[in-house]
Every structure is written in structure tokens, then in C-alpha cells.
Amino acid sequence: VPPGFTITTEICVYYYKNNKAYPKGLREDVNKALARVEKLMGKKFGDPDNPLLVSVRSGARYSMPGMMETVLNVGLTEKTIPGLIKLTGNERFVYDAYRRLIMMYSDVVMEKAAGIEPDGDDMGIRKQLEKIMAAMKKEKGVTLDTDLTAADFKKLCSKFKEKVKEALGKPFPDEHNEQLWGGIGAVFASWNGKRAISYRRIEGIPDEWGTAVNVQTMVFGNMGSDCATGVAFTRNPGNGEGRFYGEYLVNAQGEDVVAGIRTPAPINSYSQSEHNKNLVTLEKGMPELYKGLHDIQLHLEKHYHDMQDIEFTIEKGRLFMLQCRVGKRNGPAAVRMAIDMYKEKLISKETAISRVTPAQLDELLHPVIDPKDEKKNTPIAKGLPAGPGSANGMIVFTAKDAVEWAKEGKKVILVREETNPEDIEGMRAAQAILTARGGMTSHAALVARGWGKCCIVGCGNLHIEAANKTMTIGNKIYKEGDWITLNGTKGAVYDGKLVMMDAPE
């Protein structure tokens, strides 16, 4: 586990009671804790020759996937870049990490501090920077970030900095302590961000709980082909089977997996699907590391007596555990896990009963497509079955439209390239969610599964043009308002409004 320290929820409560101010002595405490981490790592935060980089993450007592902020690669500045290049001998990796920091920091810290909260498809700073990056990839004739060179990333970093200054009226901070405190403030501030408030209201989480801030040594999954990052579950969150399940990406950072930008590979043959069956599993590609990860997940589930959602990184052939939390699951999976864990003597009968919520039981009664009608229709597209049950509705392309149409009593299906945490209200309002990108551990899949909402992700043959509000499948164009039907259990998408029926008893 990479060393780090936690600024507790009590500080968050104080921060909100005292006009966003910190208690006296907090800076000294943070400096002391940081000095301890420096000693353990043999590196120094902000040192030009041997720099320590950290991540700044949230830590609420209840899992809120993607609702609060994270900043990675904090401490990377023009001063520390040469030292890190010298240490790693990998200029490409260092500038890749730097462009990620500029992207995250300008979005999470600077834009929010300026009081800007982009809505849905608004051109927030992150989207503007992504546009610059997409233009560079187009110019170079490549499709993946991993195809860009050190020189490309270096050029991107200066273009990003120019755009940040132009769009936000302030330069990107090139001082390690300013970055650290900017990140800490952003995590506390995100507890009361629009999407976190929406999620708490939906989940019934008290506002006064607050979030902690975890400052942790960075480990890198994006240093080359002997590096990787992934998300895994100690049991299958989609059906409750007691099998280790997950996805990973070689040469990537954690955000790449949940953002659904690249198709993640399965960690083992059990996690294979139509979409990733040709990709090398972690078990085959890095057998010893997979065995280590497998042993750790068994240990974690035994310790916490519940299914765990774990994040891991492999840096230069060494496995690191970043976090674990109780994993989100849908209704059928919750029932199966509770029964299995009771049979395995992991939990008591009382605990097993309390593990299944009324809402999860309700999911077992979700409507399904009438099998006779389904037989007559051929799916127009297939994706990964990320959320249970079936649903039909009219296509909408933005979270905002999903909310407005649902208020008018219309049934809608939210269709996105991939969802992001800003889409939370629209995801809640829609009957179902359909995305063109992303795997079973993407943001859409995690949130939909937690709510037991019908969802299909990674539907590769959708071509979405959100600006024109159209979706093309094969040679047919679907417009906003057209009806489609989803079978979330099979991952099948059908044209039109198929007949629905109550779930079989």
C-alpha cells in the first residue's frame, strides 16, 4: 500500500461551519505527516532531484463512486520534471503525467474555485483540453493516447497551459505546495458539489457527515508495458457469483479505467466478454502478479465480511493496492451474495437479511421483455450487460433533457458516448442508460448497478453525434425521441417499443 495520511471528516465539518477555513495547526500537521511519508519513500515533496508525487483523494464513510474529486500527480512542476525524467529515464511518462495533472487540476480545482460547474455537454475546461488533444491525435494520424510520443506530450503541456490561462484567467500553479492545498480544498469543496448533493439525496446520505481527504504517494501504471492499473470485485457484482471479477489496462492511470476511454482487458478468463475476449488477461500476461492480487482479494473479503471493490496499480512489475470499499451490487446479486456468505459462515443470518434493501428486492420484480416479442426481433446492437432488467423509452442525448422529459411524464433512455459524474441526475431520471464506450467497471456501470437500473455499456457499433442529437447503428439513423428497448441482462438493444411484462415469479 503506498504510504499516505488522512485529513479526517472532522476537518471537513469544521471547514463548512467556519466559512471554508481550516483549524489552526492543520498546515503544521500536514507538513509533519508529509515528512513521515518522505522518510518512508526516501523522496522529498517538491525536490528538484528526487521528487515525491502524491494523489489527493476523497474518503467519505459511504461509497459515492465518481461523485467527489481526485487529483493525481500532485507535485509535478517545471522544477521537478527534470529530476523525475532523470530518475525514471522515461521522458514520455513524465510529460504524460504532467498533462494529466494540468487537465485534472484545471478542471477539479481552478474551474470549481472560479464557481464554474459545466452542465452536461457544456464546454468546460476539461472538454476544451480534450479537444486540443483530439486535434493533435488527428494531426498525427493516431487514435490512442498511448500512440503519442514524449515530444507530443511536451507540446500538449504548453498548449494546455496557454488554454488554461486564456479560459480561466489564471495560470496553472507551478508550485508543489500550492498544488497540494488546492487539491485538499477541492476535495472538501466537492462534498457540496452539485453531483455529490444529488447523489446524497438519492441515496439518503446525511449532509453533515463530510468527507475525509486521503493524501497518498503516487504509484504509476503508465510507465510502460510492465505497468497497469485496474478495478476488481471479490465477487461478480452483476450476478453475485462467488468468482473474482475485474478489468485492467496496461500502461494507464486509474481514471482511464472508470472513464471508459479505452476498452479494458479482463483480469481472468471468468471476466471475459464479447468485447474483450481477444485481449490478454492479467492472469496470462502477468501470472505472478495476478496470483498476488487473487490472494489479497480473498484476504480482504474475509477481513471485511463483504464483497469488496478494489483498485490496484502495477508499477514496473510491482503490485500496489490503492483502495478498497464495499462494492455496489444489483438486487439479484445482493440476494445471492447474502445467501452464499451466510452458507460460507462469513456472516450471520441477521446480517444476511439486513444486507438486502427493499429497493434491491424490488429489482427482482423489474419488468422484462415479453420473450415471445423478443424472439420476433433481432438486436440492432449488443453491449455489456451492466444493469438488470429491461426497459423501453425515447432516446435523449443529454442528462438535462432526460430530467426535463421525465418531468413531463415521458419514458426516456439516456444515450451517451460514456457517462460522467455530471450526468447523475439524468441517469436517475432515465428508464435505462446506454453507452458506446466503457467496460463493466466504468462510471455508468458502477452507478447503474448500485441503483439496480437497466444499463448497457461498451456498445461499440453506436455512432453518437450528441451535437446533432442522432445515433447511427449500421445504416440506420436514430433521432432524439425515437423508441428503443434494452435488455440489460443480455446486453441487447432493440429497435422500437417491445412488449414488456412483469418479471417471472
Side-chain angles (χ1 to χ4, degrees):
V1 177
F5 58 91
T6 300
I7 302 170
T8 68
T9 50
E10 290 155 300
I11 306 291
C12 186
V13 173
Y14 180 97
Y15 174 84
Y16 281 109
K17 278 186 180 160
N18 293 275
N19 200 17
K20 300 191 175 178
Y22 297 123
K24 217 169 151 249
L26 179 68
R27 279 179 190 266
E28 290 74 12
D29 287 349
V30 166
N31 290 340
K32 269 185 219 159
L34 197 53
R36 256 203 319 272
V37 174
E38 289 173 334
K39 204 173 169 191
L40 284 166
M41 294 304 296
K43 293 176 178 180
K44 215 164 165 39
F45 189 56
D47 187 87
D49 303 314
N50 191 13
L52 171 77
L53 302 187
V54 295
S55 63
V56 182
R57 303 167 183 271
S58 63
R61 71 167 93 169
Y62 185 93
S63 171
M64 295 167 62
M67 296 306 122
M68 283 179 294
E69 304 299 6
T70 295
V71 193
L72 304 179
N73 310 324
V74 171
L76 206 45
T77 63
E78 294 290 356
K79 196 174 90 177
T80 57
I81 283 172
L84 197 60
I85 292 172
K86 208 170 166 188
L87 280 176
T88 58
N90 190 338
E91 188 185 17
R92 188 198 172 279
F93 147 71
V94 176
Y95 278 105
D96 177 29
Y98 194 42
R99 67 94 190 165
R100 288 169 187 269
L101 171 64
I102 300 167
M103 271 181 127
M104 275 186 147
Y105 195 93
S106 57
D107 166 26
V108 166
V109 184
M110 299 174 75
E111 190 167 65
K112 301 284 189 295
I116 307 164
E117 274 213 49
D119 194 12
D121 289 304
D122 289 354
M123 282 294 273
I125 187 65
R126 194 181 184 103
K127 284 213 169 86
Q128 293 176 54
L129 299 182
E130 279 169 359
K131 213 172 160 188
I132 294 171
M133 192 155 158
M136 178 173 273
K137 285 196 280 195
K138 200 174 175 187
E139 187 192 313
K140 306 281 295 183
V142 299
T143 51
L144 297 172
D145 301 357
T146 43
D147 295 328
L148 294 172
T149 65
D152 296 335
F153 279 128
K154 198 172 177 179
K155 203 162 151 191
L156 265 182
C157 290
S158 26
K159 283 189 173 182
F160 278 8
K161 283 172 148 185
E162 281 166 27
K163 176 53 85 180
V164 168
K165 196 168 180 195
E166 176 204 314
L168 302 176
K170 277 173 91 174
F172 171 76
D174 216 29
E175 201 280 323
H176 56 285
N177 282 311
E178 192 182 338
Q179 288 177 6
L180 175 64
W181 284 96
I184 291 168
V187 173
F188 282 143
S190 70
W191 175 254
N192 271 345
K194 206 162 94 182
R195 63 195 192 212
I197 290 171
S198 298
Y199 192 81
R200 284 204 297 280
R201 198 182 60 242
I202 292 161
E203 293 284 332
I205 301 166
D207 288 339
E208 55 274 16
W209 275 5
T211 180
V213 175
N214 295 310
V215 178
Q216 193 176 29
T217 300
M218 277 299 302
V219 285
F220 299 99
N222 59 327
M223 288 176 90
S225 57
D226 56 352
C227 301
T229 188
V231 176
F233 300 87
T234 57
R235 297 182 189 226
N236 186 328
N239 60 21
E241 270 184 342
R243 305 276 297 275
F244 189 34
Y245 180 89
E247 298 173 324
Y248 79 107
L249 277 172
V250 169
N251 199 9
Q253 278 198 324
E255 48 164 343
D256 302 343
V257 182
V258 286
I261 294 158
R262 278 162 63 192
T263 302
I267 56 168
N268 51 22
S269 55
Y270 175 71
S271 308
Q272 282 176 323
S273 69
E274 267 308 297
H275 292 250
N276 61 20
K277 62 180 183 202
N278 301 323
L279 301 170
V280 180
T281 65
L282 185 67
E283 190 174 14
K284 274 207 176 114
M286 303 179 182
E288 278 184 28
L289 291 165
Y290 174 79
K291 190 188 175 305
L293 182 66
H294 192 274
D295 292 347
I296 289 167
Q297 63 93 17
L298 290 173
H299 188 74
L300 284 170
E301 189 175 273
K302 223 176 191 163
H303 177 78
Y304 287 108
H305 301 274
D306 203 349
M307 186 268 273
Q308 296 297 300
D309 164 352
I310 56 185
E311 285 183 27
F312 63 92
T313 286
I314 292 162
E315 179 183 292
K316 294 278 171 203
R318 188 175 171 202
L319 175 65
F320 289 92
M321 304 304 294
L322 301 185
Q323 70 167 17
C324 76
R325 56 190 176 191
V326 171
K328 302 282 181 200
R329 65 210 72 178
N330 60 36
V335 172
R336 182 169 183 171
M337 281 181 206
I339 293 166
D340 286 354
M341 286 181 190
Y342 168 65
K343 283 180 182 166
E344 291 161 26
K345 297 192 168 49
L346 199 61
I347 56 175
S348 67
K349 192 181 276 187
E350 291 71 25
T351 304
I353 292 164
S354 69
R355 282 271 166 92
V356 183
T357 65
Q360 285 171 327
L361 278 177
D362 177 55
E363 274 172 54
L364 299 176
L365 311 171
H366 273 193
V368 293
I369 302 169
D370 183 334
K372 287 189 208 129
D373 200 25
E374 192 163 15
K375 236 179 208 164
K376 287 186 230 159
N377 287 274
T378 309
I380 50 169
K382 288 207 96 166
L384 299 170
S390 301
N392 55 27
M394 292 183 266
I395 298 169
V396 291
F397 293 95
T398 70
K400 203 170 154 198
D401 288 339
V403 172
E404 282 168 15
W405 287 38
K407 270 185 193 156
E408 291 165 18
K410 293 174 180 169
K411 288 168 77 174
V412 298
I413 289 178
L414 179 63
V415 177
R416 303 284 281 155
E417 195 68 43
E418 77 241 344
T419 65
N420 61 50
E422 270 80 26
D423 295 328
I424 198 80
E425 292 276 7
M427 292 169 79
R428 189 65 177 173
Q431 301 292 315
I433 299 146
L434 173 65
T435 74
R437 294 203 298 224
M440 293 292 269
T441 54
S442 65
H443 174 262
L446 283 174
V447 173
R449 203 154 41 228
W451 288 343
K453 191 172 282 278
C454 177
C455 176
I456 298 172
V457 297
C459 200
N461 50 351
L462 302 186
H463 295 285
I464 297 163
E465 287 197 35
N468 305 332
K469 299 196 171 180
T470 62
M471 158 180 100
T472 310
I473 300 175
N475 45 25
K476 180 159 183 186
I477 295 172
Y478 292 82
K479 296 187 189 76
E480 181 182 71
D482 288 348
W483 281 80
I484 54 171
T485 303
L486 267 57
N487 181 333
T489 311
K490 284 184 184 169
V493 184
Y494 297 95
D495 191 345
K497 191 175 175 180
L498 269 62
V499 179
M500 305 295 280
M501 61 183 273
D502 288 337
E505 286 179 17

